[in-house]
Structure formats: structure tokens, C-alpha cells
Amino acid sequence: MVHPFGLVTYRQGKDEGTLIAEWINDDPNSLDSEIGIGMAKIAKAGSDHFEGEYNVEYWLAGKVIKLELSIKRNGPIYDMVWAENGATTNTGYGFISGDMLVAGFERKV
């Protein structure tokens, strides 16, 4: 069964202004789940170490998925928007758990 959401975690990378991503969602073309990794590089910093505008590369089975990611703090919640060439592809929200930003996002299936 394909679920209409996915999950992602972001943690600080070794280099300043980078986030390491680990994500999972269902593959709409099979009964398997897609599990991938990625890296976000800051394009415009925000008020804390997660908030900002990022250029993201996600990697899955030899494919590179390039997106823009906007993370905006809204109290204890982080509003998130993923876009491709300026067009929104996914939206979600997250919270801080330990040293990670944990987020859920809606999927277009």
C-alpha cells in the first residue's frame, strides 16, 4: 500500500552550512519502500542552525534528485517546502529531537 507521506531526518554535516538527510517513502510503482540519503547546502541562512534556504541533492539507486528546500521556524515547529525549479513538489513540518530535525512530508502519488 502506498502511503501519502514520507519521513526525513536532517542532522548537521561536517562542513559548515550542510545538513545530512536520511529519508523514506513508498515507491508508488511497487510494494517496496524507497530509502535514500542526501545533502543540503545552505543558500540563505536563517535564525538557527536548521532554518534557511537550501539546495538539496538526494540520492536513490544511482539517481540524483535536485530540489530546493525552505525551512522556516514557527515556534517549536519547522514549516518545510521542497521545490523543483521554483515549483512546490512537497510540503511538511518537523521538530527538533536531540540533534536532528525530524520531519514528515506529504507525497504526490
Side-chain angles (χ1 to χ4, degrees), residues 37-79:
I37 61 172
M39 178 168 300
K41 294 183 181 177
I42 194 80
K44 181 180 175 189
S47 64
D48 67 26
H49 61 271
F50 287 107
E51 187 176 45
E53 305 292 325
Y54 294 87
N55 294 311
V56 186
E57 284 190 4
Y58 297 110
W59 304 292
L60 175 68
K63 284 187 349 186
V64 177
I65 303 162
K66 293 184 179 187
L67 298 174
E68 302 97 38
L69 169 60
S70 173
I71 302 174
K72 293 183 181 168
R73 188 171 181 174
N74 184 5
I77 303 298
Y78 289 78
D79 297 321

